[in-house]
Amino acid sequence: MQIQSYFSQLDSIEGELATLNLGPTHPATHGIFQNVLKMNGEKIVSAEPTIGYIHRAFEKLAEHRPYNQITPITDRLNYCSSPINNMGWHMTVEKLAKIEVPKRAQYMRVIVMELARIADHLVCDAVIGVDTGALTGFTYMFQERERIYDMYEEVCGTRLTTNVGRIGGMERDFTRLFTKNCALFSKPSRLNSRNSISSWNATAFLWTAPWGAGPIEAERAMAYGFTGPTCAPAAWITTCGSCSPYSSYEDFDFIIPVGTQGDTYDRFMVRQEGNPPESAHHPPGLRQPADRRLPRRCTRLLPAGKARCVHQNGGPDLPFQNRYGRGAYPQGRGVPCGGRWQPRLGFYLVSDGGRQPYRLHFRRPCFIYYQAYPEMVKGSMLSDAILTMSSMNVIAGELDA
Amino acid sequence: MRFVGHPNLTRILNVEDLDVFPMRKEYRLEDGTRTDKDDRFFGREGHEGRQFD
């Protein structure tokens, strides 16, 4: 009875305005998000997002786990780019414990992170396609992503929740098959095949609908703390790699694409345009989703050496040293971030010298974007709002942590 | 913690009528019967397990 009255209250029409529950489970939201929308016809008057449907208290969990066991938790933040989260976490602990990672391991991390970024951008753009009605491109995307997942598997044995790398480096060196697959992957994508191009282009909606949907000005985006493609208009090059390079990103040249309008179209294209101009032999329209040659370039430049640091005591892996002793980790704080022109994921780690963090905070970019969502969709059509959400790449796992 | 000048300070994650804050240190994650998560094993002082309250 109470529930009934609750819902009838939600559905009630107040004057001209209707209250609409978008979510929490709706196929178009790609995750468990709820938005309570006030609608005037098909126009959104105001939106009130709620979060927490898959909150798992990661920060609390992390206080009860040794450092190396926190890596699998980070997998489950943005599960589209688990390796980047893993690396961000490793770098946090390395910063805290002042571990110098071998150059080879740093390059290996760049390779894995680049693959992860490409996979993430593929998914996100394909999902924008789906939301405009271009479902076929999405199926092609999965072929591409499988190639990346095969490479993950070659590196770490898993595909989705990768748990790749270790504190102090990588768990093992790359295999020959990985290097070979990496080289193959750097070649033009099958996504550019005529079929998928025509599929995406034929959906003229894809090229019109995102225009002007969910715009945000550069200043606002920066004020919110946007990073990565969502911050497309701001030319805010703090998209990691370039401004505060880590893991030897400074050794590589890459282009960071920026948009001009800050709408969904920009966010879509920025992910597409990771391609440098010299590979412009690809057909126009859907270009390669990102600079997929970097991983290969990187495998060629791999410095000789060990894939992970050797502890002074000659032990194999730092986290397993001093397992039951105090002082395995110094007290202090570490805040790096993961991903290059990916949204900036940060870890704020406070250690009291114990084996687990005293406190760990995740700076989740999705959480930051999502706060701006009501502002971005206000006054727009409902269909634009759905498109805007998918273009922001809000992943429920990361949003709720 | 106080947030000054926040334009829209609303409660997130917890439901409105929840008057405890489960993320706080005073709330334990594991159930009290577990003995395997002794602080000794985690490099901290104290030999009688985690102290709460």
Side-chain angles (χ1 to χ4, degrees):
Chain A
M1 209 48 174
Q2 272 184 334
I3 292 170
Q4 231 173 5
S5 64
Y6 173 72
F7 278 107
S8 62
Q9 195 188 338
L10 281 181
D11 291 338
S12 69
I13 294 173
E14 305 162 8
E16 292 286 309
L17 304 181
T19 306
L20 181 73
N21 245 327
L22 177 64
T25 50
H26 189 284
T29 56
H30 309 288
I32 316 294
F33 307 102
Q34 188 194 25
N35 272 284
V36 183
L37 305 174
K38 281 259 185 310
M39 306 288 297
N40 181 5
E42 223 183 317
K43 282 233 153 69
I44 295 168
V45 179
S46 69
E48 194 190 320
T50 59
I51 70 163
Y53 281 94
I54 61 163
H55 177 59
R56 290 149 293 175
F58 279 165
E59 293 178 2
K60 185 87 171 168
L61 275 175
E63 290 170 20
H64 295 256
R65 275 163 203 251
Y67 289 94
N68 54 313
Q69 287 183 10
I70 292 169
T71 320
I73 296 181
T74 64
D75 285 334
R76 281 135 179 101
L77 287 166
N78 179 347
Y79 33 79
C80 289
S81 52
S82 302
I84 298 181
N85 306 346
N86 297 158
M87 300 309 176
W89 167 242
H90 299 325
M91 283 185 271
T92 310
V93 183
E94 284 151 10
K95 189 172 175 185
L96 175 74
K98 297 192 177 60
I99 299 170
E100 185 67 36
V101 178
K103 199 80 174 164
R104 185 179 179 83
Q106 290 185 16
Y107 275 44
M108 288 166 76
R109 284 179 175 183
V110 168
I111 294 167
V112 176
M113 280 192 282
E114 279 303 297
L115 290 173
R117 180 185 59 75
I118 293 167
D120 187 283
H121 287 181
L122 274 170
V123 173
C124 188
D125 269 0
V127 160
I128 296 174
V130 169
D131 284 350
T132 55
L135 191 63
T136 315
F138 192 61
T139 60
Y140 279 88
M141 179 278 291
F142 277 115
Q143 293 181 8
E144 287 300 294
R145 198 176 71 161
E146 281 303 290
R147 297 169 74 190
I148 298 176
Y149 278 12
D150 286 346
M151 283 186 266
Y152 288 174
E153 203 173 354
E154 202 53 31
V155 177
C156 63
T158 45
R159 297 169 73 84
L160 185 75
T161 47
T162 48
N163 192 18
V164 62
R166 294 291 179 267
I167 295 159
M170 297 290 282
E171 61 269 57
R172 63 180 81 82
D173 217 324
F174 287 154
T175 59
R176 253 184 218 170
L177 182 60
F178 175 85
T179 319
K180 192 182 144 202
N181 285 346
C182 214
L184 285 174
F185 185 74
S186 70
K187 298 212 169 94
S189 148
R190 268 178 287 171
L191 264 189
N192 290 317
S193 70
R194 210 150 45 90
N195 286 342
S196 84
I197 287 284
S198 51
S199 142
W200 286 50
N201 279 353
T203 317
F205 201 45
L206 178 61
W207 303 112
T208 53
W211 276 95
I216 187 159
E217 282 169 18
E219 288 75 25
R220 287 299 289 166
M222 286 166 78
Y224 270 112
F226 278 27
T227 45
T230 318
C231 196
W236 200 22
I237 313 290
T238 55
T239 36
C240 310
S242 52
C243 234
S244 51
Y246 51 83
S247 194
S248 292
Y249 259 120
E250 67 273 18
D251 296 1
F252 301 94
D253 290 330
F254 46 83
I255 297 163
I256 295 183
V258 288
T260 49
Q261 315 161 93
D263 56 359
T264 299
Y265 182 78
D266 263 8
R267 289 187 283 271
F268 179 86
M269 288 313 285
V270 159
R271 293 189 182 95
Q272 294 287 313
E273 293 275 342
N275 228 14
E278 59 263 40
S279 56
H281 60 270
H282 300 303
L286 186 69
R287 289 215 261 153
Q288 286 190 26
D291 184 0
R292 52 203 295 155
R293 295 172 310 166
L294 185 64
R296 187 197 191 185
R297 221 184 321 161
C298 202
T299 50
R300 284 182 175 161
L301 298 171
L302 264 185
K306 292 201 183 305
R308 68 178 173 203
C309 68
V310 178
H311 194 249
Q312 289 161 343
N313 304 349
D317 211 351
L318 205 99
F320 298 104
Q321 288 286 319
N322 296 326
R323 192 162 184 169
Y324 298 112
R326 189 180 168 82
Y329 294 96
Q331 295 181 19
R333 283 142 203 242
V335 200
C337 58
R340 160 205 137 197
W341 112 67
Q342 270 294 80
R344 222 180 162 134
L345 173 72
F347 299 90
Y348 186 77
L349 169 63
V350 182
S351 164
D352 64 352
R355 194 163 66 110
Q356 333 117 288
Y358 175 76
R359 177 83 173 88
L360 179 63
H361 175 67
F362 299 109
R363 182 217 187 263
R364 293 115 55 201
C366 290
F367 180 66
I368 288 157
Y369 301 155
Y370 201 49
Q371 293 173 45
Y373 185 65
E375 180 183 321
M376 288 163 79
V377 300
K378 198 173 172 185
S380 73
M381 307 283 273
L382 180 59
S383 54
D384 283 358
I386 285 171
L387 212 52
T388 305
M389 187 189 280
S390 52
S391 78
M392 285 164 85
N393 199 11
V394 178
I395 306 281
E398 188 181 292
L399 174 71
D400 292 348
Chain B
M1 195 178 284
R2 301 202 180 280
F3 297 93
V4 182
H6 196 291
N8 182 23
L9 198 60
T10 48
R11 196 159 195 182
I12 53 172
L13 287 178
N14 286 342
V15 290
E16 284 297 330
D17 53 353
L18 194 71
D19 53 3
V20 294
F21 299 93
M23 291 285 279
R24 282 186 182 166
K25 287 270 180 202
E26 66 200 79
Y27 295 99
R28 61 175 77 192
L29 184 75
E30 307 286 353
D31 68 60
T33 58
R34 285 187 71 156
T35 53
D36 57 327
K37 298 241 167 160
D38 193 303
D39 264 3
R40 273 178 303 170
F41 302 142
F42 294 97
R44 293 207 178 88
E45 304 295 334
H47 292 248
E48 282 157 35
R50 250 164 195 282
Q51 298 295 314
F52 294 97
D53 306 323

